[in-house]
């Protein structure tokens, strides 16, 4: 196991895996189908545990203006009233609060850091199409032009979409959410809270998070994609947002991006197979409510790299070290997924039971230790 590890997919988690390996002196090659970094626009909330990993991997942005720290988070009711609030430092002892960096900037910072190690070879414009396997063991991939890439160990990091790798790791769809998600990037609007907000209303839930460089992330539940054409009109979009948060100012909106996501919960039955492992959304997808998917992928990257380091130092026990990644990490992921699934389902259910939900949240807000436990559970991605 002394050659380069082959990583298929150079999104945030594939690049994080390359970095976690490079920190241990293990070289890798990343195959990425997209010609340039920063084409995915989702996943900007970084939790404390994942932030520590980014610091360890020396993924620091060149520009301080690329990062924002949000010290508090609120769940707002249908009239914009605060139902439930976290001051991260005071309530959870988490001084960093939520660290916010736009997803394309996270990806570019990871790519820069990976390249700087001198141990990561990133090949863009390469789409992996099939596995190379012999005697039930993976030993590389074939791309869409028929070129072969050989490696003793391969890592699948191709995200939630696409069929590649699904059979190998037995990825199963466990739930399809009834309501989908529209994720927007707009210019910041004066008068909008500078905290992270989760707005509950009869229309469903909406997330509002300030982004660096004066931008604003808004994501809300939609019943289907036919609603979306209306939201390209800034005035109609403003009206939709006000149905979910009445305090949203009446002002001209500048929309930069809007993406529609069909949401499902997926989980790989196996995180490891002979000669390969799976990380990130390719292994597990969670509802975006908790802002956890990318953070969980960073933890996968670190755990897998640690297992591969042990496997290289002790080749006779390589399979045992890799099996530990499967058993331990899959168990942790399953427990996080169950909690986040509950939030996703409550988000679908709450609009029909808005009075009960708002009363329950207000009561829960006053229950100190329970509130703290709830915060710890949702910040924890291990
Ligand atoms: C609306 C929304 C909001 C979210 N917000 C947050 C958040 O705030 N915090 C958080 O932690 N998570 C969040 N997430 C989840 C987060 O975006 C994902 O968990 C994260 O992007 C997964 O990273 P990944 O690298 O595993 O997959 P991806 O980001 O999907 O990257 C996969 C990469 O593989 C490449 N690829 C695919 N197939 C091939 C192939 N055959 N050959 C070569 N390359 C290939 C793709 O081009 C892509 O670059 C959110 C998700 C959604 C939908």
């Amino acid at each position: 196991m002394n050659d380069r590890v082959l990583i298929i997919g150079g999104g945030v988690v594939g690049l994080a895996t390359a970095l976690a390996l490079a920190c241990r002196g293990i070289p890798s090659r990343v195959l990425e189908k997209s010609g340039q970094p920063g084409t995915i626009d989702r996943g900007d909330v970084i939790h404390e545990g994942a932030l520590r990993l980014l610091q360890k991997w020396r993924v620091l942005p060149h520009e301080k203006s690329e990062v924002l720290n949000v010290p508090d988070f609120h769940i707002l009711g249908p009239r914009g009233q605060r139902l439930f609030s976290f001051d991260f430092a005071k309530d959870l002892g988490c001084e960093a609060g939520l660290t916010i960096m736009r997803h394309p900037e996270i990806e570019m910072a990871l790519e820069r850091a990976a390249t700087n190690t001198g141990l990561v070879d990133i090949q863009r414009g390469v789409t992996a199409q099939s596995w190379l396997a012999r005697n039930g063991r993976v030993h590389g991939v074939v791309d869409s032009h028929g070129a072969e890439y050989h490696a003793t160990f391969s890592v699948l990091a191709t995200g939630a979409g696409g069929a590649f790798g699904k059979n190998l790791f037995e990825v199963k769809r466990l739930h399809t959410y009834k309501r989908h998600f529209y994720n927007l990037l707009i210019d910041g609007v004066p008068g909008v809270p500078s905290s992270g907000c989760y707005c509950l209303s009869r229309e469903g839930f909406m997330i509002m998070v300030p982004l660096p460089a004066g931008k604003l992330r808004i994501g809300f539940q939609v019943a289907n994609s036919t609603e979306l054409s209306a939201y390209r009109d800034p005035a109609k979009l403003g009206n939709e947002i006000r149905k979910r948060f009445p305090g949203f100012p009446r002002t001209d909106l500048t929309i930069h991006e809007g993406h529609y996501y069909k949401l499902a919960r997926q989980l790989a039955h196996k995180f490891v197979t002979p000669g390969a492992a799976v990380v990130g959304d390719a292994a597990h997808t969670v509802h975006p409510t908790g802002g956890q998917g990318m953070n969980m992928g960073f933890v996968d990257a670190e755990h897998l790299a640690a297992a591969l380091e042990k496997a290289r130092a002790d080749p006779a026990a390589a399979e045992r070290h890799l099996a530990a990644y499967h058993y331990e990490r899959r168990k942790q992921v399953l427990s996080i997924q169950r909690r986040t699934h509950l939030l996703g389902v409550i988000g679908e259910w709450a609009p029909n039971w808005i009075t009960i939900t708002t009363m329950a949240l207000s009561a829960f807000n006053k229950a100190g230790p329970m509130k703290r436990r709830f915060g710890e559970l949702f910040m924890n991605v291990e």
Side-chain angles (χ1 to χ4, degrees):
M1 293 186 71
N2 290 321
D3 59 342
R4 280 182 187 272
V5 171
L6 187 66
I7 299 169
I8 304 116
V12 283
V13 179
L15 292 168
T17 306
L19 264 170
L21 289 168
C23 283
R24 295 168 167 85
I26 303 175
S28 63
R29 169 168 298 132
V30 178
L31 305 182
E32 166 55 47
K33 70 176 178 186
S34 153
Q36 60 188 47
T39 50
I40 297 172
D41 186 39
R42 57 170 194 263
D44 344 76
V45 175
I46 302 168
H47 295 293
E48 199 185 21
L51 181 67
R52 279 197 296 272
L53 289 177
L54 292 180
Q55 284 160 344
K56 176 176 170 186
W57 301 332
R58 305 212 166 100
V59 185
L60 294 172
H62 281 190
E63 303 290 335
K64 282 256 180 289
S65 60
E66 288 180 356
V67 186
L68 193 71
N69 288 94
V70 172
D72 50 357
F73 177 82
H74 307 280
I75 301 182
L76 307 178
R79 287 174 280 106
Q81 76 277 31
R82 284 186 187 177
L83 301 173
F84 188 88
S85 295
F86 270 131
D87 177 316
F88 288 100
K90 205 166 100 234
D91 295 326
L92 296 172
C94 166
E95 295 299 330
L98 294 177
T99 302
I100 314 281
M101 198 171 159
R102 276 202 55 216
H103 196 92
E105 262 125 39
I106 299 175
E107 199 182 324
M108 286 189 271
L110 284 162
E111 180 152 334
R112 263 194 313 266
T115 309
N116 287 344
T117 64
L119 288 171
V120 183
D121 168 27
I122 301 171
Q123 300 193 3
R124 290 196 163 270
V126 180
T127 305
Q129 206 157 53
S130 56
W131 295 102
L132 283 167
R134 204 170 35 233
N135 301 328
R137 186 175 185 89
V138 170
H139 60 97
V141 296
V142 183
D143 78 4
S144 51
H145 300 290
E148 296 188 355
Y149 297 81
H150 293 261
T152 312
F153 200 81
S154 305
V155 179
L156 184 77
T158 47
F164 185 65
K166 290 236 156 84
N167 287 343
L168 188 64
F169 294 99
E170 297 174 26
V171 179
K172 298 221 163 48
R173 176 168 290 212
L174 303 179
H175 185 85
T176 304
Y177 294 98
K178 288 192 195 75
R179 309 203 72 200
H180 305 304
F181 206 70
Y182 193 46
N183 200 39
L184 284 145
L185 173 71
I186 64 174
D187 269 352
V189 175
V192 165
S194 58
S195 322
C197 292
Y198 184 103
C199 311
L200 271 179
S201 68
R202 289 191 197 284
E203 310 302 317
F205 74 78
M206 177 172 85
I207 294 169
M208 275 193 308
V209 183
L211 296 178
K215 300 280 186 292
L216 183 64
R217 169 75 65 215
I218 296 215
F220 56 82
Q221 283 182 312
V222 288
N224 56 56
S225 59
T226 51
E227 292 175 30
L228 301 182
S229 54
Y231 307 148
R232 295 202 186 99
D233 172 348
K236 288 187 181 151
L237 177 67
N239 289 338
E240 273 311 313
I241 295 173
R242 271 185 294 280
K243 282 189 201 162
R244 293 158 170 87
F245 175 54
F248 195 83
R250 291 182 182 276
T251 180
D252 290 341
L253 298 181
T254 307
I255 306 170
H256 294 283
E257 298 204 26
H259 297 279
Y260 171 70
Y261 292 97
K262 285 190 162 193
L263 302 179
R265 174 183 171 203
Q266 295 186 155
L267 184 66
H269 182 60
K270 300 192 283 189
F271 276 26
V272 170
T273 191
V278 61
V279 287
D281 274 20
H284 45 75
T285 45
V286 291
H287 197 279
T289 315
Q292 287 161 318
M294 171 183 65
N295 288 274
M296 288 163 72
F298 291 163
V299 177
D300 297 351
E302 181 68 4
H303 284 216
L304 178 61
L308 280 168
E309 183 183 32
K310 286 185 194 156
R312 285 189 176 216
D314 179 13
E319 300 303 329
R320 180 164 56 78
H321 293 304
L322 287 161
Y325 167 71
H326 161 77
Y327 286 114
E328 287 161 20
R329 189 59 189 145
R330 192 175 182 282
K331 195 167 146 206
Q332 291 169 347
V333 162
L334 189 59
S335 140
I336 301 164
Q337 243 198 2
R338 285 189 177 134
R339 295 197 294 266
T340 313
H341 176 62
L342 191 67
L343 271 191
V345 173
I346 289 176
E348 293 185 336
W349 167 88
N352 303 326
W353 299 88
I354 199 78
T355 312
I356 294 177
T357 310
T358 53
M359 282 165 65
L361 280 166
S362 301
F364 195 34
N365 193 38
K366 297 186 187 105
M370 264 169 75
K371 178 174 159 173
R372 187 182 171 92
R373 182 72 190 125
F374 176 81
E376 283 166 353
L377 280 177
F378 282 93
M379 300 245 333
N380 180 12
V381 282
E382 289 194 67

